[in-house]
Amino acid sequence: MATRHLIRSIILQSLYEWDFYKHQEDLFKTIERNLNEFGLGIDEPEFAWKLINGVITHLKEIDDIIRKAAPQWPLEQIPIVDRNVLRIGLYELIYADHNEVPEKVAINEAIELAKNFGGENSGKFVNGVLGTVYKELEKIEK
């Protein structure tokens, strides 16, 4: 497994735990623990911290985007895995440096996380939401 994909998986696992416990856990301690347990040999741990700090910094905006892009799904009713895959994917799609993580890579990585960790239709759901946002971003850029 590529280092960044592994990092995204660990961040997803940590966000899942944090979200499951209604944000009562210390997210950064959870990430540190999970990186130490599952991320031995990761050669760019700074990517993990950049990713999680970005998601948390933009959490309100990201959640608002999810609400707009999937209006038929109240945020609280979206499965925890899918919700957090979307948070990671939207952060990378909208806020991350696109020279470091191109938009299509962000979308593909999120879809793979959803397929690997989510339910039967998670990949399609994540693809639909991120695809909608990507199309809107293209319109804005033009």
Side-chain angles (χ1 to χ4, degrees), residues 12-76:
L12 174 60
Q13 176 183 345
S14 302
L15 283 169
Y16 180 97
E17 185 176 336
W18 180 69
D19 206 1
F20 182 82
Y21 289 112
K22 309 287 188 224
H23 307 180
Q24 299 301 309
E25 299 279 312
D26 183 328
L27 177 59
F28 296 99
K29 285 183 183 177
T30 301
I31 290 168
E32 184 128 354
R33 182 190 72 230
N34 288 336
L35 283 170
N36 289 333
E37 186 171 341
F38 303 111
L40 296 176
I42 287 178
D43 57 1
E44 53 180 331
E46 67 280 354
F47 179 75
W49 295 108
K50 184 188 302 185
L51 183 58
I52 195 59
N53 284 320
V55 170
I56 295 306
T57 298
H58 297 285
L59 187 63
K60 183 184 178 324
E61 298 100 311
I62 290 169
D63 284 354
D64 287 345
I65 292 166
I66 295 169
R67 286 183 186 98
K68 289 176 188 164
Q72 67 282 17
W73 287 95
L75 188 66
E76 301 74 25

Side-chain angles (χ1 to χ4, degrees), residues 27 48 52 61 67 78 80 82 97 103-105 109 131:
L27 177 59
I52 195 59
E61 298 100 311
R67 286 183 186 98
I78 296 173
I80 296 174
D82 297 357
D97 178 356
E103 292 98 326
K104 292 189 179 187
V105 171
E109 283 291 323

